[in-house]
Amino acid sequence: MKKALIMMIALVAPMLASACAPYEADPVSVYQWERKVEQVQRQDAERQRLCQTLDKESARYQRDCAGVKS
């Protein structure tokens, strides 16, 4: 009985821990909003650069570059 309970806890605990997304508060100041916008723009530019180098027939291109103008 104890072994079964321990096994259930061991199997369920990692699933519960990984199911929660980290909390990220919305920016409140103008400075925080500017930094957030700049971060999103940098990520978008990096994604576009990556998509320009990938083979358009590859599975990674199909998965990661949907909606990117090339």
Side-chain angles (χ1 to χ4, degrees):
M1 180 75 177
K2 282 186 177 181
K3 286 184 181 182
L5 181 60
I6 292 172
M7 289 296 289
M8 283 183 71
I9 291 172
L11 291 173
V12 173
M15 290 188 294
L16 292 176
S18 64
C20 301
Y23 173 74
E24 184 176 330
D26 285 336
V28 285
S29 70
V30 173
Y31 174 73
Q32 289 174 331
W33 275 107
E34 289 172 346
R35 287 188 46 124
K36 181 70 171 177
V37 168
E38 290 170 357
Q39 176 189 12
V40 170
Q41 289 172 340
R42 282 192 307 272
Q43 289 172 341
D44 187 50
E46 179 61 31
R47 184 175 172 211
Q48 287 180 358
R49 281 192 295 275
L50 173 68
C51 291
Q52 289 174 352
T53 61
L54 290 175
D55 178 23
K56 293 189 184 339
E57 301 299 320
S58 69
R60 184 173 181 194
Y61 181 86
Q62 300 297 324
R63 181 186 67 230
D64 295 345
C65 299
V68 174
K69 298 176 185 174
S70 51

